[in-house]
Amino acid sequence: MYYEKLLPILSDLENKEVEIAGGSVVCMVLSITNALIDYICNLTKDKKNYENVRDEVLIIKEESEKLRRKSLEAIDQDEKILKEILERYKKRKEEPERLEEISKKSAELCLSVTENALNTLRLAKRISQIGNKMLSSDFKICIMYAYTSVQAGIENVKINIDSVEDEEFKKEMIKKYEMISSQAKELYSL
């Protein structure tokens, strides 16, 4: 059965000994969303009624493949950073600067994932305008998942900057995620 392929991932996710959590889940959702965008592109690019958009569809496909790779790579980065956060959190009173350092690194990774989610949303929105109309529910799914990934990514940035004392860093992160959120809201409509 197909679902059995997912069981090891779900088992890792629920396992408290494996350091993957919400950030990794956002990346998984983004990689799946970009794979679905690729699926839409594959069912559009060679169709007779869509010859006039073929070149743009191929560009969207290429971009979504890049975003899928970035999302998959970010899962491993997130796991590594989460492990470090958990280790440094135990010594937060003795070495607060070390927790701040890794929290900044984590916030930056989460912001990068959020930017990838926004770019995925842009691709989903565009393919929904030019892609094979038989796949309209798939367009909507991609748009919803990408938008939700933007919001989830922002939540991950927020939780990480809670452990940061550097006010300039915090202000810059807030400014960036607010701009991303605003752009995502403009794009998000079904």
Side-chain angles (χ1 to χ4, degrees), residues 170-186:
K170 287 171 110 166
K171 283 181 190 174
E172 188 62 27
M173 288 286 117
I174 292 168
K175 179 182 169 186
K176 287 178 180 178
Y177 76 62
E178 285 179 346
M179 186 171 45
I180 291 169
S181 179
S182 174
Q183 291 173 18
K185 285 175 184 169
E186 285 178 31

Side-chain angles (χ1 to χ4, degrees), residues 20 30-31 58 60 69 77 87 97 105 110 115 136 152 184:
I20 61 170
L30 278 176
S31 63
L58 291 174
I60 291 169
R69 271 192 307 280
Q77 294 167 349
E87 287 172 10
E97 69 285 345
K105 189 175 178 180
C110 293
E115 290 167 344
S136 65

Side-chain angles (χ1 to χ4, degrees), residues 77-183:
Q77 294 167 349
D78 184 67
E79 178 189 15
K80 183 179 175 186
I81 288 174
L82 180 57
K83 188 175 190 173
E84 257 186 272
I85 287 173
L86 295 173
E87 287 172 10
R88 291 183 186 189
Y89 189 78
K90 292 173 190 171
K91 298 180 182 181
R92 67 190 177 279
K93 291 185 180 176
E94 302 88 42
E95 301 173 336
E97 69 285 345
R98 293 194 71 218
L99 178 59
E100 175 148 343
E101 175 189 318
I102 195 64
S103 295
K104 284 181 173 181
K105 189 175 178 180
S106 183
E108 289 168 343
L109 174 63
C110 293
L111 186 68
S112 173
V113 169
T114 305
E115 290 167 344
N116 290 341
L118 178 63
N119 288 328
T120 299
L121 179 57
R122 286 186 179 116
L123 293 180
K125 189 72 176 183
R126 185 60 186 144
I127 197 65
S128 75
Q129 296 165 342
I130 65 171
N132 185 333
K133 298 303 177 206
M134 296 292 294
L135 305 169
S136 65
S137 64
D138 293 314
F139 302 152
K140 291 175 184 176
I141 289 167
C142 289
I143 290 167
M144 286 187 281
Y145 282 174
Y147 181 76
T148 301
S149 294
V150 168
Q151 299 308 314
I154 289 170
E155 289 305 314
N156 283 331
V157 174
K158 287 178 181 179
I159 194 72
N160 281 287
I161 63 174
D162 280 349
S163 297
V164 173
E165 298 294 324
D166 181 342
E167 290 301 320
E168 285 304 310
F169 180 86
K170 287 171 110 166
K171 283 181 190 174
E172 188 62 27
M173 288 286 117
I174 292 168
K175 179 182 169 186
K176 287 178 180 178
Y177 76 62
E178 285 179 346
M179 186 171 45
I180 291 169
S181 179
S182 174
Q183 291 173 18

Side-chain angles (χ1 to χ4, degrees), residues 15-30:
N15 185 343
K16 67 180 185 174
E17 303 301 320
V18 178
E19 278 87 8
I20 61 170
S24 296
V25 171
V26 173
C27 295
M28 288 177 203
V29 169
L30 278 176

Side-chain angles (χ1 to χ4, degrees), residues 46-63:
D46 296 323
K47 296 286 184 188
K48 185 176 180 185
N49 293 340
Y50 299 94
E51 292 169 340
N52 60 329
V53 295
R54 185 177 197 283
D55 290 344
E56 188 174 0
V57 169
L58 291 174
I59 291 168
I60 291 169
K61 182 172 172 43
E62 182 180 328
E63 289 302 309

